[in-house]
Amino acid sequence: MPKLSRYAYLDTRLSLMASRLVDEREFALFAEQDEDARALGERLAQRLGITDLGTNETLDHRVMPLLLGELAILLRPLTGPTRDLLLYWARRFEISNLKAILRGKMNNEPNERIRQQMIPVGPFATLPAERLLMSADIAELLRNVEQTPYAEVARDARGIFEKEQELFAIDASIDRRYYASLMRRAQKDGLDGGETFRRLIGWMIDRVNLVWLLRYRFAYGLSPSQAYYLLVPAGDRLSGNQLLSLAQFGSLSELLQHLPEPFAELLEGAHTTSEVTRRMELRGWEIARSILRTNGGNPARAFAYLMLRERDLRRARAVLRGRRLNMPQALIKAAAGLVPIEVEQSLPTGGGMQEAV
């Protein structure tokens, strides 16, 4: 069956869903409105094509299930490695829940408080969350995870816990294993739209590696070998040897000056890790937009849409939360990623708004 016929349902759905995407200028207008939070929430929800965005207390638990619901619709015509890849992409929300449980257990938080930090994943759930919450200690928790699809993640984390017993090292190990497995799935034979998937996911992992490298070296003070060890083994443009070489530089500015193309041009004049993160994200969204606009018959367009839709839902959450907290417009726009980088650098920090994006 020709690809255009096989993916007719998918392409129709994507055409409808793409109309819900919101560009930066329109989001900036939402952030600049003086109307009250309730009216703003209703208008934002209507523009995004959803019923409502919930209250401040339910906002976090409302946004990601919306994205997963759309993923479930887009998965219907997909099979084999293509379906497996998108399902694995969705597992990062469960990875987030696993890390929340680990963090809560290590900090001796009550289970109810940990539950409040977890993302509802509905039919995508594979972790026995309640059993993990009832684990007597971290070692038992990780043994329980080894009986799930996250066995490799758990084994890595358990080995690090036995050596270091530090949450940072465990978190880094879990993230590294997740992204490595995602890239491995993007490189599988038989993946329909494989080159396009690899372009999107490869850029994502290049961004993750570069940002992690900057943080590990210049925020956390790790040695070059320690920082390199915690990176994802393979991205798209940044090879392992290049990352190892970059890890040797002693300052952020020196490292950025030795980046290969296309990163050198993209990040010219950047001075902070947040600035690097922003520019890399913007380029990733540009790539996703260009893929979504191509002709039908390529299931990677669904992945491009999901990336852009998640961006919009997170921006809506940041704008609405900021309005409900009566934050200044400038801070709301910064939290939603709607101001130029040089403007953001001059804004006051605080209030936890960056975590909303």
Side-chain angles (χ1 to χ4, degrees):
M1 181 185 299
K3 286 185 180 180
L4 286 173
S5 300
R6 191 194 326 166
Y7 294 121
Y9 168 86
L10 182 66
D11 292 333
T12 300
R13 281 289 186 177
L14 285 171
S15 295
L16 294 171
M17 290 177 169
S19 65
R20 304 171 184 170
L21 296 175
V22 185
D23 65 27
E24 284 78 2
R25 290 182 182 180
E26 191 174 356
F27 251 121
L29 291 176
F30 277 113
E32 292 165 2
Q33 298 304 307
D34 291 327
E35 61 193 319
D36 63 73
R38 180 176 179 179
L40 178 63
E42 290 175 352
R43 288 207 307 119
L44 264 172
Q46 182 179 23
R47 176 62 183 87
L48 292 164
I50 57 182
T51 305
D52 67 84
L53 284 165
T55 65
N56 256 12
E57 290 72 27
T58 63
L59 195 54
D60 289 342
H61 285 73
R62 178 73 176 139
V63 168
M64 288 306 107
L66 286 168
L67 186 69
L68 291 173
E70 294 187 355
L71 170 62
I73 292 171
L74 297 174
L75 282 172
R76 289 172 186 169
L78 302 180
T79 59
T82 308
R83 181 183 180 86
D84 176 65
L85 174 59
L86 286 178
L87 280 170
Y88 192 80
W89 173 79
R91 283 188 179 177
R92 65 198 182 89
F93 299 109
E94 268 207 318
I95 290 285
S96 176
N97 287 344
L98 173 59
K99 290 164 66 176
I101 296 172
L102 282 165
R103 181 172 58 249
K105 287 294 183 182
M106 293 186 77
N107 292 330
N108 294 314
E109 295 179 5
N111 286 342
E112 187 54 38
R113 181 180 176 86
I114 298 173
R115 288 189 188 97
Q116 292 171 1
Q117 301 171 34
M118 295 171 65
I119 301 167
V121 295
F124 293 93
T126 60
L127 281 174
E130 287 304 311
R131 192 190 337 155
L132 299 183
L133 286 167
M134 298 303 170
S135 300
D137 53 35
I138 298 298
E140 180 185 337
L141 189 157
L142 291 173
R143 284 197 298 271
N144 285 330
V145 178
E146 287 187 43
Q147 310 306 312
T148 74
Y150 301 96
E152 290 183 349
V153 167
R155 280 192 290 270
D156 280 0
R158 185 157 59 88
I160 288 176
F161 175 73
E162 290 170 352
K163 292 178 182 177
E164 304 184 37
Q165 298 195 8
E166 289 185 1
L167 182 59
F168 162 74
I170 296 173
D171 267 8
S173 167
I174 290 173
D175 288 339
R176 179 181 184 274
R177 171 64 71 173
Y178 168 77
Y179 281 110
S181 295
L182 183 67
M183 191 65 195
R184 189 165 63 245
R185 283 167 169 79
Q187 294 170 333
K188 268 191 175 182
D189 293 335
L191 179 66
D192 204 354
E195 285 302 319
T196 314
F197 273 115
R198 284 187 282 276
R199 183 183 174 202
L200 277 168
I201 294 173
W203 184 267
M204 181 192 304
I205 292 176
D206 282 339
R207 171 177 59 82
V208 164
N209 271 338
L210 184 54
V211 171
W212 284 0
L213 179 58
L214 295 176
R215 287 178 181 163
Y216 294 158
R217 287 287 288 123
F218 310 121
Y220 304 155
L222 299 186
S223 69
S225 59
Q226 287 175 314
Y228 174 73
Y229 174 75
L230 293 173
L231 302 181
V232 185
D236 181 26
R237 303 290 187 90
L238 287 174
S239 68
N241 286 337
Q242 286 173 316
L243 290 167
L244 181 59
S245 176
L246 291 170
Q248 310 305 314
F249 293 109
S251 69
L252 184 146
S253 59
E254 188 180 11
L255 188 155
L256 294 181
Q257 288 171 10
H258 289 83
L259 285 171
E261 295 294 354
F263 309 102
E265 180 179 359
L266 176 65
L267 300 175
E268 184 179 1
H271 300 292
T272 65
T273 301
S274 62
E275 197 171 353
V276 170
T277 304
R278 176 71 57 77
R279 294 192 194 185
M280 293 287 286
E281 284 180 337
L282 288 173
R283 179 59 59 85
W285 293 332
E286 288 173 4
I287 294 170
R289 276 196 298 268
S290 69
I291 289 170
L292 184 58
R293 289 170 180 160
T294 58
N295 293 331
N298 186 343
R301 295 176 66 238
F303 187 59
Y305 167 78
L306 290 166
M307 288 175 60
L308 296 170
R309 181 64 161 171
E310 181 180 2
R311 174 205 63 185
D312 286 359
L313 291 172
R314 289 184 183 276
R315 279 180 168 168
R317 181 179 66 176
V319 169
L320 190 53
R321 177 180 287 163
R323 179 56 53 82
R324 288 172 176 171
L325 293 173
N326 293 315
M327 302 296 288
Q329 285 186 8
L331 277 178
I332 293 173
K333 292 172 76 173
L338 298 170
V339 295
I341 293 165
E342 60 271 16
V343 174
E344 183 184 356
Q345 302 309 314
S346 67
L347 293 173
T349 58
M353 288 292 292
Q354 286 297 338
E355 295 179 5
V357 180

